[in-house]
Each structure stands twice: as structure tokens, then as C-alpha cells.
Amino acid sequence: MLPEEILTNDHEQLARFAKALGHPVRVYIMELLSTQTCCFSGDLADDLPIARSTLSQHLKELKAAGLIQGTIEAPKIRYCINRENWKKATLLFGQLFKANPLVNEECK
Amino acid sequence: MLPEEILTNDHEQLARFAKALGHPVRVYIMELLSTQTCCFSGDLADDLPIARSTLSQHLKELKAAGLIQGTIEAPKIRYCINRENWKKATLLFGQLFKANPLVNEECK
DNA sequence: TTCTTATTTCGCAAAAATACGAAATATATT
DNA sequence: AATATATTTCGTATTTTTGCGAAATAAGAA
């Protein structure tokens, strides 16, 4: 029998995903990658009002959180969503937001 | 006609919600409040392995993000979810995670 | 090989997040 | 009025995040 942990791996994992989505630029990137297609850093840099080095850091963070992955297509790098982890994130966020038994009750 | 903004209010709002969920303790709190019931700071403090002052800061952040609200029930404070904003968050996260037209395709 | 392009890493600075214990606050209870 | 309880705010230290420009890297093109 496992010890009853208060903060579970799922809490940690969800927090990690949420933190990665905790900046408008990164939300923008994930939105783009989840709806449209893969993309290059340069395409994003052309649109976004930040330095390329700053964008690179955001991409690095999304990669560290496991939400995206890059494949070299010299001299560019093509970024795509990491489908496995995106699915995991979808599941975890879905769980969090789905259950709501008090939806029609006032706080008592 | 509005100017075509790259980073929209929705991106900002979703990032704000995500950032608030970007810590395991805060995920735990929101999970509790969304599934079970309202709760008191003290109940959380008894369970969580952090100082009460630290917990208070996390609650403050969730409140600042609009995800929870507190009502005085002296000498305690009862914390509840902010249903209106939770709904908004559900919607924004739902939008982000729903659309996925490339679900069966490899990155090309 | 040299040049060009795309992107990252480095070095730095400023701001924000995280955590704690001590002190302050607010309000019931005695 | 004094005490007890629940929670927050304050002060502080440490770590992390965010951002930039300059320099470094990688690989195709001339």
C-alpha cells in the first residue's frame, strides 16, 4: 500500500503544464501548433513583438515541459506539438475542469 | 475595425489562469474546491506540507487570478471557487485543447 | 572555403515567485 | 477587558522568470 500523498504526481504534472502555459506568448504558440500546423521559430518571430532570443527561451520552456518538439530542417528548425504529452495535458486539464457537482449551488 | 492584435485578451486571460495553476499546491486547492466543497484555510494547512503563511500567499494568488473567493466566517475564512471565472477558464482551456485537426497525422 | 540564413546560447539586469517565521489583525469567547 | 483562535501581512532570503543584445552555432549556398 502506497503512502497517502497529498500532492500527487498528477498535481505536479498538471502544474508543470499549467506553468508552461502561464505566459501569453506560450499560449499563442501552443494555440497555433494545436490548430494549424507545425511552424518555424522565424515565422513566430516575425509576428511576435519580442526578440528572437526571447522567443527561443519560450520555445525552450515549452520543450522542457514536453509540450513541443523540434526537428532540424536546416537551416531552420521545425517545431511541432508533442502529441503524447498534449494528450496527457488534455486529460489532466479535462479532469480538473469537468467535475463540478456544485454547479447550481451557492457556496454554503 | 480593430487592429489585428497577435496577443489577444484571451491569450492574456488564459495565461493568467494557467499561471495561477502553475504550482502543485494551487492545483490541489482548485481540485478540492471544484470537486468537493468550500473549505477553510486551516483545513488545507493541516494537510499541506507548507507554512500557513505560504498557503496564505497561494490563496492570495488564486484570488488575484479570480479563481477563488473568500467569505468571512469568523474567526475563519471560507474559501470557495469563483464559478463565473472557473467557467471562463473551463471555456478557454477547452478551446485550446479541443481543436486538434492533425491528431492522426505525423508532423510533416 | 567563404558567405548567408536561422536559431540558439551567453551574459547580464530587472522583476516576480517561493518560502519561512514573527508580528499584526480580526473576531469570537471568557 | 483579556484571552484564544484563525488567518493574513511583513520582512527577508533565495530562486526563477523574463527580456535584451551580442556572440556562437549549424548547415546550406555561392
Side-chain angles (χ1 to χ4, degrees):
Chain A
M1 183 109 113
L2 290 170
E4 288 200 23
E5 300 201 51
I6 299 302
L7 266 20
T8 65
N9 286 341
D10 276 359
H11 292 131
E12 305 271 1
Q13 180 62 80
L14 184 46
R16 216 146 32 224
F17 286 144
K19 194 170 191 178
L21 290 171
H23 191 286
V25 164
R26 298 195 294 265
V27 169
Y28 174 85
I29 294 170
M30 292 315 299
E31 186 189 74
L32 193 75
L33 290 184
S34 73
T35 58
Q36 292 187 212
T37 171
C38 300
C39 71
F40 300 106
S41 175
D43 300 335
L44 295 168
D46 291 339
D47 292 341
L48 293 167
I50 55 173
R52 275 153 203 275
S53 56
T54 305
L55 172 61
S56 190
Q57 277 191 196
H58 285 302
L59 290 168
K60 192 178 176 181
E61 255 189 82
L62 288 172
K63 203 156 68 176
L67 292 178
I68 64 172
Q69 59 202 60
T71 56
I72 295 171
E73 201 157 311
K76 301 183 183 181
I77 296 179
R78 183 190 291 273
Y79 280 102
C80 310
I81 215 167
N82 181 320
R83 301 197 184 290
E84 187 182 352
N85 286 332
W86 190 246
K87 198 171 156 187
K88 178 76 179 166
T90 304
L91 193 76
L92 288 172
F93 278 104
Q95 275 175 235
L96 180 62
F97 285 107
K98 189 164 53 184
N100 204 349
L102 302 176
V103 70
N104 283 317
E105 286 179 56
E106 271 314 293
C107 172
K108 52 178 185 303
Chain B
M1 183 108 116
L2 290 168
E4 291 200 22
E5 300 201 52
I6 300 303
L7 264 22
T8 65
N9 286 340
D10 276 1
H11 292 131
E12 304 271 2
Q13 181 61 79
L14 184 46
R16 219 150 24 228
F17 286 144
K19 194 171 190 177
L21 290 171
H23 191 286
V25 164
R26 298 196 295 266
V27 169
Y28 173 85
I29 294 170
M30 292 315 300
E31 186 188 75
L32 192 74
L33 290 183
S34 75
T35 58
Q36 291 186 212
T37 171
C38 299
C39 71
F40 299 106
S41 175
D43 300 335
L44 295 167
D46 291 341
D47 292 340
L48 293 167
I50 55 173
R52 275 154 203 273
S53 56
T54 304
L55 171 61
S56 189
Q57 277 190 196
H58 285 303
L59 291 168
K60 193 177 177 181
E61 255 189 83
L62 288 172
K63 202 155 67 175
L67 292 178
I68 64 171
Q69 58 203 60
T71 56
I72 295 171
E73 203 160 310
K76 301 184 182 180
I77 295 180
R78 182 190 292 274
Y79 280 103
C80 310
I81 214 167
N82 181 320
R83 299 199 185 290
E84 187 182 350
N85 286 331
W86 189 246
K87 198 171 155 186
K88 178 75 179 168
T90 304
L91 192 74
L92 288 173
F93 278 104
Q95 276 175 235
L96 180 62
F97 285 106
K98 189 164 52 184
N100 204 348
L102 301 176
V103 70
N104 283 317
E105 288 179 55
E106 271 312 295
C107 172
K108 54 176 182 301

